[in-house]
């Protein structure tokens, strides 16, 4: 029994992927589909937030270190995903068992929905700010038009849609900079903004801020599994690697800092929206709609595929992905009806801790799998585990390290420890996982030969 997620890779419900290059996505099609992530207004905001917290120079240093880190990690994960064709849940099953597999799919699906809520809310706020009207109706409009765009999957539609919208977004960025400069003049000293020294070096604080979006590693895995093996090197450097992050974090970040400096606005999500609309008026609204439409295709696609995986793992029955696109849209709208911006960033911070821990354990598992160098016909057993063995030590390592990370994030007695929570989470996750990894022995399982990269 198998299911095709409408994006080419056939998944065996016993827990293995069977990638076939003849149905994989071409090099530039996959690049255009994934580079929908490039145009999120969130990347402008996160740079602005870092700039307000630690100053421009420290933010730039943090960006450079972040680009290097993301480039390396995503290169490793993308090559493994391309090699095996595994989904997030299938890859996680090989590490955490059936419980962890479902937890990983649920975590990524909910996180993707939350980001869809954030980015969709940006569109709604921009439309209301320019045209007026009831924000709840704008929320509904944003969801209703986004859902059909994701129905076709990566191969059939998302690559073409985002390939068309990418140059429009880039032209929009240029126009925004020109518009802000013409109206406000060049903001002298925008690269020299400084703030009082904190308890940690400013560049480290900036780096830690960017660690909060390690969920990009999961997005990489979700899209990279659709790539052809012959394109693995290109995707590792360009599509998912340092080239992508140099533009996503570097270019977007500098533009965000410039705009807020030019208009003298607060470093908030709505501050970015106001700066864009103030620079271009109605065309600024179009740029926001284009940018957020691109990013939300990736959000809704990732949410739907992982909800589909979770349902399949839970019930053993195959359901069309479009059903889960609709479910994701309904959930996103319901979240929007609440005072979403008041709790969304905290919710994402909690999920970010779980994701950071997952990434740390995922990298450790690949490292130990490589050291074991299983012989042909051998691999890590990814078949479902039942009973107490389903809740094994790797799952506990994930949960415990995440719990520690959340506790550190929420406590106020030790501000330095709260700031260092992402790094501490990574260290604790790896330390707790290592004993299980060292005990693991490759098992004879021909059908999972590709699982141990």
């Amino acid at each position: 029994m198998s299911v095709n997620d409408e994006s080419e890779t056939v998944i065996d419900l016993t827990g293995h992927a069977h990638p076939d290059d003849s149905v994989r996505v071409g090099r530039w099609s996959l690049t255009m589909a994934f580079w929908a992530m490039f145009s999120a207004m969130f990347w402008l905001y996160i740079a602005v937030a870092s700039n307000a917290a630690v100053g421009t120079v420290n933010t730039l240093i943090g960006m450079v270190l972040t680009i290097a880190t993301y480039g390396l990690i995503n290169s490793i994960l993308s090559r493994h995903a391309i090699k095996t064709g595994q989904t997030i849940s299938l890859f996680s099953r090989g590490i955490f068992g059936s419980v962890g597999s479902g937890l990983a799919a649920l975590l990524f699906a909910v996180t993707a929905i939350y980001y869809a809520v954030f980015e969709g809310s940006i569109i709604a706020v921009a439309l209301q700010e320019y045209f007026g009207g009831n924000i709840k109706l704008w929320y509904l409009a944003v969801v209703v038009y986004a859902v059909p765009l994701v129905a076709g999957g990566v191969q059939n539609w998302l690559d073409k849609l985002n390939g068309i919208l990418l140059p429009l977004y880039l032209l929009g960025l240029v126009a925004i900079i020109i518009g802000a400069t013409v109206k406000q003049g060049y903001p002298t000293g925008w690269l020299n903004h400084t703030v009082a020294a904190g308890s940690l070096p400013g560049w480290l604080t900036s780096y830690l801020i960017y660690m909060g979006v390690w969920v990009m590693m999961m997005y990489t895995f979700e899209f990279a599994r659709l790539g052809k093996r012959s394109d693995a090197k290109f995707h590792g450097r360009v599509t998912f690697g340092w080239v992508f992050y140099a533009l996503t974090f570097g270019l977007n970040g500098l533009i965000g800092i410039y705009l807020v400096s030019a208009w003298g606005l607060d470093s908030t999500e709505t501050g970015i929206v106001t700066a864009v609309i103030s620079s271009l008026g109605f065309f600024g609204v179009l740029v926001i709609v284009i940018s957020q439409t691109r990013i939300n295709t990736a959000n809704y696609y990732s949410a739907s595929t992982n909800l589909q995986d979770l349902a399949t793992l839970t019930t053993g029955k195959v359901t069309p992905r479009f059903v889960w696109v609709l479910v994701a849209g309904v959930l996103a709208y319901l979240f929007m009806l609440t005072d979403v911006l008041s709790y969304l960033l905290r919710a994402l911070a909690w999920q970010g801790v779980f994701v950071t821990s997952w990434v740390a354990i995922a990298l450790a598992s690949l490292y130990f799998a490589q050291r074991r160098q299983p012989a042909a016909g051998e691999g890590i057993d990814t078949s479902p585990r039942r009973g107490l063995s389903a809740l094994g030590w790797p799952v506990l390592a994930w949960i415990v390290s995440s719990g520690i990370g959340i506790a550190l994030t929420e406590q106020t007695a030790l501000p330095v420890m709260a700031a260092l929570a992402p790094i501490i989470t990574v260290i604790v996750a790896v330390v707790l996982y290592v004993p299980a990894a060292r005990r693991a022995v490759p098992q004879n399982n021909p059908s999972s030969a590709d699982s141990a990269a």
Side-chain angles (χ1 to χ4, degrees):
M1 187 177 186
S2 63
V3 56
N4 188 304
D5 70 351
E6 299 177 29
S7 294
E8 306 76 48
T9 300
V10 178
I11 305 300
D12 185 336
L13 298 186
T14 59
H16 311 293
H18 300 285
D20 182 350
D21 272 1
S22 66
V23 292
R24 294 294 189 97
V25 180
R27 174 182 294 190
W28 290 108
S29 290
L30 184 58
T31 299
M32 288 300 98
F34 182 75
W35 276 44
M37 306 294 296
F38 162 66
S39 60
M41 286 290 160
F42 188 78
W43 307 133
L44 279 70
Y45 163 68
I46 196 172
V48 167
S50 175
N51 186 58
V54 301
T56 309
V57 173
N58 285 320
T59 295
L60 294 178
I61 296 173
M63 277 185 190
V64 171
L65 295 175
T66 296
I67 291 167
T69 303
Y70 274 64
L72 177 61
I73 293 176
N74 284 286
S75 178
I76 294 171
L77 293 179
S78 66
R79 291 167 192 255
H80 177 79
I82 290 171
K83 176 182 178 181
T84 63
Q86 292 175 322
T87 62
I88 289 288
S89 61
L90 291 182
F91 175 61
S92 297
R93 176 176 292 184
I95 305 172
F96 303 106
S98 56
V99 171
S101 175
L103 181 59
L106 177 62
L107 172 65
F108 189 27
V110 172
T111 302
I113 290 172
Y114 269 23
Y115 276 107
V117 169
F118 180 90
E119 304 295 350
S121 297
I122 294 295
I123 303 178
V125 168
L127 292 171
Q128 186 196 41
E129 182 172 323
Y130 192 82
F131 295 106
N134 189 321
I135 190 65
K136 293 181 180 179
L137 293 179
W138 287 122
Y139 285 152
L140 180 61
V142 166
V143 172
V144 167
Y145 92 80
V147 166
L149 297 179
V150 192
V154 171
Q155 188 181 49
N156 299 323
W157 172 242
L158 294 186
D159 58 336
K160 301 175 181 64
L161 173 68
N162 288 305
I164 293 171
L165 295 181
L166 177 59
L168 296 179
Y169 174 68
L170 292 173
L171 289 173
L173 290 180
V174 174
I176 290 169
I177 294 298
I178 294 173
T181 305
V182 169
K183 292 181 178 181
Q184 294 295 106
Y186 180 78
T188 304
W190 70 282
L191 288 174
N192 299 320
H193 173 68
T194 59
V195 298
S199 54
L200 292 174
W203 61 267
L204 179 57
T205 299
S206 178
Y207 183 83
L208 291 168
I209 290 173
Y210 279 98
M211 280 190 72
V213 286
W214 270 26
V215 71
M216 289 299 294
M217 318 318 185
M218 283 186 155
Y219 280 102
T220 288
F221 213 99
E222 190 64 32
F223 279 79
R225 68 189 178 89
L226 307 176
K228 295 183 178 181
R229 295 184 180 186
S230 59
D231 295 329
K233 189 175 182 179
F234 172 85
H235 289 314
R237 293 178 179 176
V238 177
T239 308
F240 307 106
W242 69 267
V243 174
F244 171 78
Y245 288 103
L247 295 173
T248 299
F249 292 151
L251 178 62
N252 282 323
L254 286 172
I255 290 174
I257 294 171
Y258 183 90
L259 285 177
V260 171
S261 299
W263 287 99
L265 295 169
D266 293 333
S267 303
T268 63
E269 303 93 328
T270 54
I272 294 293
V273 172
T274 301
V276 172
I277 295 177
S278 298
S279 299
L280 287 183
F282 175 71
F283 291 102
V285 175
L286 288 181
V287 171
I288 291 174
V289 171
I290 289 171
S291 70
Q292 304 310 91
T293 297
R294 296 185 76 246
I295 181 64
N296 265 351
T297 60
N299 287 327
Y300 282 115
Y301 170 76
S302 298
S304 64
T305 56
N306 281 275
L307 288 173
Q308 181 190 39
D309 278 354
L310 181 62
T312 302
L313 291 169
T314 304
T315 66
K317 297 180 179 179
V318 178
T319 50
R321 188 177 62 82
F322 182 67
V323 172
W324 298 106
V325 175
L326 293 175
V327 171
V330 170
L331 291 175
Y333 180 63
L334 292 177
F335 278 124
M336 287 179 181
L337 292 179
T338 65
D339 186 11
V340 63
L341 294 179
S342 67
Y343 67 84
L344 182 59
L345 293 181
R346 170 165 287 190
L348 289 175
W350 281 41
Q351 291 173 356
V353 170
F354 275 97
V355 170
T356 301
S357 181
W358 180 89
V359 172
I361 293 174
L363 291 174
S365 73
L366 293 178
Y367 170 76
F368 281 104
Q370 185 178 41
R371 289 191 64 187
R372 284 195 294 270
Q373 295 181 341
E378 289 186 324
I380 298 173
D381 184 13
T382 59
S383 59
R385 292 183 281 232
R386 305 188 184 281
L388 292 177
S389 63
L391 190 63
W393 184 249
V395 178
L396 294 177
W398 185 14
I399 294 175
V400 170
S401 60
S402 299
I404 292 173
I406 291 174
L408 290 174
T409 300
E410 292 298 311
Q411 60 85 31
T412 57
L414 301 171
V416 173
M417 297 298 287
L420 290 172
I423 291 179
I424 295 173
T425 300
V426 168
I427 295 172
V428 172
V430 172
V431 168
L432 292 179
Y433 172 72
V434 164
R438 286 180 171 174
R439 288 198 302 268
V441 177
Q443 303 181 31
N444 291 329
N445 190 356
S447 61
S448 64
D450 282 340
S451 298

